[in-house]
Amino acid sequence: MKILNELIERYPVLECVKDEIAKAYEIIKTTYENGGKVLICGNGGSASDSEHIVGELMKSFVLKRALPEKFVENLKATDENPEDLLTGLQGALPAISLVSHTSLMTAFMNDCDPSLVFAQQTLGYGKEGDTLIALSTSGNSKNVLAAARVAKALNMKVVEISGLGGGKIAKVSDAVIALPEKETYKIQELTLPVYHALCLMIEEYFFG
């Protein structure tokens, strides 16, 4: 994998998690091959990363993305003037950031156990074959762990990106990218190039 090798060349400290990054890539690739989607959650800086990952998956990252042929055919058959859509839209890889749904989240946190809000969203959105990307620098975030537990019960896959050791979430994850740092900001500094590499590899596979 050229992209993964380039990542390790730029960040040699990530050599220890190279195999887990490759495993995470295979999991996400399989999800998309089977028509599934990716859910992502985290707190604080990890919430921002959740949004960032969705931005790289749902639209072009670095490659031009052709529209699905069936969609193009259906659009031409159902729309009188489809050119603006045909030229303006691009292929997407379905991903949902669970941190973004303000009304749902505040309603649930007001009425129910706030630590289960990501779990509730995972229960509602998730299905067998989907993937949850669980972001937690400690690996112990209660709300992210609850979402991962629900994901496993739904026969979803769980990819964790965390700090050294992986914490409790590692025990319910299929791929554990436990970055070799202990301080939050240092973990976050390594998190971005890791998920950029994952998004690049996924985009290359489906649109390269």
Side-chain angles (χ1 to χ4, degrees), residues 105-156:
M105 293 179 72
T106 53
F108 187 87
M109 290 187 292
N110 185 60
D111 298 340
C112 309
D113 182 348
S115 69
L116 299 181
V117 63
F118 291 150
Q120 179 67 30
Q121 291 167 289
T122 301
L123 179 63
Y125 287 123
K127 64 179 180 63
E128 183 172 358
D130 287 347
T131 293
L132 173 74
I133 299 179
L135 303 176
S136 171
T137 57
S138 68
N140 296 316
S141 302
K142 189 175 180 180
N143 53 0
V144 180
L145 174 59
R149 290 165 57 202
V150 169
K152 296 307 294 182
L154 292 172
N155 291 321
M156 295 171 58

Side-chain angles (χ1 to χ4, degrees), residues 12 25 35 68 72 81 128 146 171:
Y25 161 73
V72 172
N81 299 291
E128 183 172 358
K171 297 178 181 179

Side-chain angles (χ1 to χ4, degrees), residues 60 63-69 71-72 86 89-92 206-208:
S60 171
L63 298 179
K64 182 178 177 61
R65 296 187 179 186
L67 293 170
E69 291 182 7
F71 170 76
V72 172
L86 290 173
L89 295 177
Q90 51 191 251
F206 286 100
F207 298 101

Side-chain angles (χ1 to χ4, degrees), residues 8-66:
I8 304 305
E9 288 176 8
R10 292 169 57 219
Y11 299 91
V13 70
L14 295 176
E15 178 69 43
C16 63
V17 292
K18 183 178 180 180
D19 289 346
E20 290 299 308
I21 296 172
K23 185 186 294 185
Y25 161 73
E26 292 294 338
I27 288 170
I28 297 168
K29 182 183 76 171
T30 299
T31 283
Y32 284 135
E33 284 179 325
N34 294 330
K37 61 186 171 296
V38 171
L39 308 180
I40 314 159
C41 63
N43 301 292
S46 296
S48 297
D49 287 327
S50 298
E51 298 277 21
H52 190 160
I53 294 169
V54 168
E56 311 299 20
L57 292 173
M58 284 286 289
K59 59 172 288 297
S60 171
F61 188 7
V62 298
L63 298 179
K64 182 178 177 61
R65 296 187 179 186

Side-chain angles (χ1 to χ4, degrees), residues 56-101:
E56 311 299 20
L57 292 173
M58 284 286 289
K59 59 172 288 297
S60 171
F61 188 7
V62 298
L63 298 179
K64 182 178 177 61
R65 296 187 179 186
L67 293 170
E69 291 182 7
K70 185 176 181 180
F71 170 76
V72 172
E73 293 173 2
N74 288 345
L75 184 64
K76 289 179 177 179
T78 59
D79 196 292
E80 292 182 356
N81 299 291
E83 289 307 314
D84 60 330
L85 299 179
L86 290 173
T87 57
L89 295 177
Q90 51 191 251
L93 296 164
I96 300 172
S97 168
L98 302 183
V99 309
S100 311
H101 311 146

